[in-house]
Amino acid sequence: DVQLQASGGGLVQAGGSLRLSCRTSGFAFGDYAIAWFRQVPGKEREGVSRIDNKEVTVYYDVSVKGRFTISSDNAKNTVYLQMNSLKPEDTAVYYCAAVESIIGHITLMEREYDYWGQGTQVTVSS
């Protein structure tokens, strides 16, 4: 039974930091790519960052590049998103998602991800 559990959200002031965790189970972690998405009410879910455990590559959306860092702990089957220099526009519900890795295929398109965790709310106050 595939499970992804996101945690670590909260309320932080602008300029602050949070670390999100996505704990996974039920699939071969090393063969999958894990991504973080975020969504605000009334808007589409957008891809934030992705780590491919098979290719050992990372990707960031331009809106977070230089501020967010994605990492993977294979021993714990967990992916982290370290978020620094947070801005009010980072406020959203953050979701983690998984898809089996395809060599050379990097995507942050929501429809291409097969498994999803529940969201965790991140609120950045100005």
Side-chain angles (χ1 to χ4, degrees):
D1 188 26
V2 173
Q3 292 189 359
L4 290 88
Q5 185 172 4
S7 62
L11 172 64
V12 65
Q13 288 189 330
S17 299
L18 283 173
R19 188 177 81 155
L20 305 184
S21 299
C22 178
R23 188 172 62 186
T24 74
S25 62
F27 60 91
F29 187 76
D31 291 337
Y32 275 68
I34 310 294
W36 287 96
F37 291 80
R38 64 187 181 187
Q39 188 172 28
V40 297
K43 291 191 175 182
E44 292 186 356
R45 200 172 295 187
E46 64 175 4
V48 173
S49 182
R50 162 192 169 106
I51 186 164
D52 191 312
N53 290 321
K54 191 168 188 177
E55 283 197 308
V56 195
T57 56
V58 298
Y59 176 82
Y60 299 96
D61 183 79
V62 63
S63 63
V64 305
K65 200 168 186 178
R67 300 188 297 121
F68 291 10
T69 302
I70 193 169
S71 62
S72 184
D73 186 333
N74 287 358
K76 296 182 178 180
N77 290 350
T78 299
V79 169
Y80 302 99
L81 186 68
Q82 178 67 43
M83 306 187 296
N84 298 330
S85 302
L86 283 161
K87 304 175 182 180
E89 50 264 43
D90 294 317
T91 295
V93 177
Y94 283 71
Y95 300 88
C96 56
V99 65
E100 191 166 2
S101 174
I102 300 174
I103 300 297
H105 183 65
I106 299 173
T107 177
L108 274 178
M109 297 182 71
E110 178 183 359
R111 66 173 183 265
E112 297 203 22
Y113 284 77
D114 298 317
Y115 305 109
W116 290 82
Q118 89 295 353
T120 185
Q121 176 71 46
V122 171
T123 304
V124 184
S125 63
S126 57

